[in-house]
Amino acid sequence: MRHFLTLKDYTKEEILEIIELGLKIKKEFKAKAQPPYLHGQTLSMIFEKSSTRTRVSFESGIFQLGGHGLFLSNKDIQLGRGEPVKDTARVISSMTDIIMIRTFEHSRLEEFAKYSSVPVINGLTDTYHPVQLLADYMTMIEHNMHENAVVAYIGDGNNMTHSWMMLAAKLGFELRIATPKGYEVNEDVMKEALEICQHSGGKITVSNDPNVAVKGASVVTTDTWASMGQEDEKEERQKAFAGYMVDDTMMDLGQEGVVFLHCLPAYRGQEVSEELLEGPRSLIFKEAENRLHAQKGLMVWLDLHR
Ligand code: CP
Ligand code: NVA
């Protein structure tokens, strides 16, 4: 049995296999010919943070696969009142077939997975958001942006940055990160990603200059400056991130045909301009839709490997 906690635990071949399976199911689904791959199965979805895309894509996804989704907010279940993670994991996994969790510390997810008897999927932690990257790379494949990709990530060194680092390291493409001073990526994640790069041909560089990172890039991406749990730092971060808004002028430094990705939710006028977000270079809504298809691929893959 496999969990899906970070891309670090997956080989290049496995990551591509999951995405290809998602693309196959997407095609079947669009043709109204998708088999009920997970007939009668229940997915538990535990949310300790807010969500639009993750909730809707997982809940619709499991339903479309012939199963049932249980939305479990920490406001409603005993976990939110202090019931231990290890007890919650054993109880829920004894009654349902797959579990998705969105939480704070990555170690909380790891503890849950350790005590779960069924596959656990990371629906975002403070450190990683790997399901988002499955959808992002699926979108790159669909737009022929995956061969010789040079990806520029501009903004906060956060869970999205770390996930891009793992994807670049595993698949062997170039990732250039630009963060303001004091908002750099986690050093341990960097060390691990660079070690993987030694064997994969991936390349990861960091700087404090967005224009240098975007120069010649084929894909540019960013994320909110204040992630969930950092609401108190909003004002201070807006000052620190001045000059980091991705807009069409910055995008002009990229390769011809450069595209823009964002996991959403986006804050217009902060990390990205309204014009870029709504303009022809932006693939954001295709990317968001692919959360559904990529995660259906993931759930079916995990079921095949138990
Ligand atoms: N991108 C993403 O995970 O969005 P939600 O927070 O809406 O789930
Ligand atoms: N970095 C953001 C991603 C939201 C999908 C957060 O953690 O809030």
Side-chain angles (χ1 to χ4, degrees):
M1 181 189 78
R2 301 284 295 274
H3 298 302
F4 189 77
L5 309 186
T6 143
L7 295 171
K8 192 169 62 189
D9 306 331
Y10 281 72
T11 64
K12 172 179 182 170
E13 289 68 32
E14 287 171 338
I15 295 168
L16 294 177
E17 211 175 277
I18 292 167
I19 296 172
E20 289 301 334
L21 185 54
L23 282 166
K24 175 177 169 263
I25 297 173
K26 178 175 182 178
K27 218 163 138 192
E28 292 169 345
F29 179 66
K30 298 267 175 190
K32 301 201 185 312
Q34 185 218 274
Y37 291 102
L38 300 183
H39 177 75
Q41 296 202 21
T42 304
L43 166 73
S44 289
M45 306 181 296
I46 302 172
F47 283 93
E48 299 199 283
K49 290 176 176 171
S50 307
S51 168
T52 298
R53 279 143 289 269
T54 306
R55 180 187 174 174
V56 176
S57 55
F58 270 111
E59 193 163 337
S60 303
I62 189 71
F63 176 73
Q64 291 163 11
L65 290 168
H68 175 69
L70 276 180
F71 173 68
L72 305 170
S73 144
N74 67 334
K75 292 189 195 78
D76 304 317
I77 60 174
Q78 300 287 8
L79 183 69
R81 292 181 61 246
E83 183 168 13
V85 166
K86 58 185 181 184
D87 293 0
T88 310
R90 282 175 284 188
V91 171
I92 294 182
S93 66
S94 74
M95 299 177 186
T96 62
D97 304 285
I98 322 172
I99 301 170
M100 184 242 90
I101 313 178
R102 168 167 285 196
T103 189
F104 291 87
E105 301 85 17
H106 193 74
S107 55
R108 196 166 160 83
L109 169 80
E110 287 174 334
E111 190 189 358
F112 197 106
K114 186 174 155 198
Y115 286 94
S116 169
S117 54
V118 301
V120 173
I121 297 173
N122 180 357
L124 181 147
T125 63
D126 290 345
T127 317
Y128 290 113
H129 193 9
V131 286
Q132 179 68 51
L133 271 291
L134 295 178
D136 293 3
Y137 201 71
M138 176 182 272
T139 312
M140 284 168 64
I141 293 174
E142 287 181 323
H143 291 82
N144 265 322
M145 301 305 292
H146 59 304
E147 304 284 359
N148 304 315
V150 179
V151 179
Y153 177 95
I154 310 302
D156 187 27
N158 63 14
N159 45 11
M160 277 304 298
T161 333
H162 298 150
S163 303
W164 272 108
M165 287 158 69
M166 279 302 158
L167 189 76
K170 288 286 178 172
L171 300 191
F173 62 80
E174 183 176 351
L175 174 67
R176 302 161 178 181
I177 301 164
T179 63
K181 287 204 170 70
Y183 295 92
E184 284 90 358
V185 299
N186 178 297
E187 279 176 24
D188 293 334
V189 176
M190 188 60 165
K191 217 174 124 213
E192 284 173 346
L194 289 179
E195 265 168 34
I196 302 168
C197 283
Q198 285 182 356
H199 311 286
S200 69
K203 188 177 168 196
I204 303 174
T205 54
V206 289
S207 78
N208 304 114
D209 189 339
N211 292 336
V212 168
V214 172
K215 199 165 186 307
S218 55
V219 176
V220 180
T221 184
T222 181
D223 185 19
T224 180
W225 292 339
S227 286
M228 289 181 275
Q230 298 172 334
E231 286 76 11
D232 296 348
E233 300 172 30
K234 257 186 188 160
E235 270 180 42
E236 168 193 335
R237 282 173 170 264
Q238 283 188 20
K239 282 188 208 130
F241 284 79
Y244 277 76
M245 181 173 77
V246 184
D247 59 11
D248 279 300
T249 311
M250 197 186 279
M251 292 288 286
D252 288 342
L253 298 170
Q255 287 176 25
E256 205 188 320
V258 60
V259 296
F260 178 73
L261 295 176
H262 191 310
C263 65
L264 304 179
Y267 298 85
R268 289 160 164 83
Q270 294 188 32
E271 78 273 9
V272 58
S273 70
E274 165 86 17
E275 294 72 25
L276 171 59
L277 208 61
E278 298 288 350
R281 286 160 155 172
S282 167
L283 300 179
I284 55 167
F285 294 113
K286 295 196 160 71
E287 179 188 2
E289 183 195 325
N290 277 338
R291 291 290 304 277
L292 172 71
H293 308 298
Q295 290 159 195
K296 281 163 80 176
L298 174 62
M299 288 191 281
V300 174
W301 192 93
L302 290 171
D303 188 53
L304 289 169
H305 289 80
R306 63 167 110 218

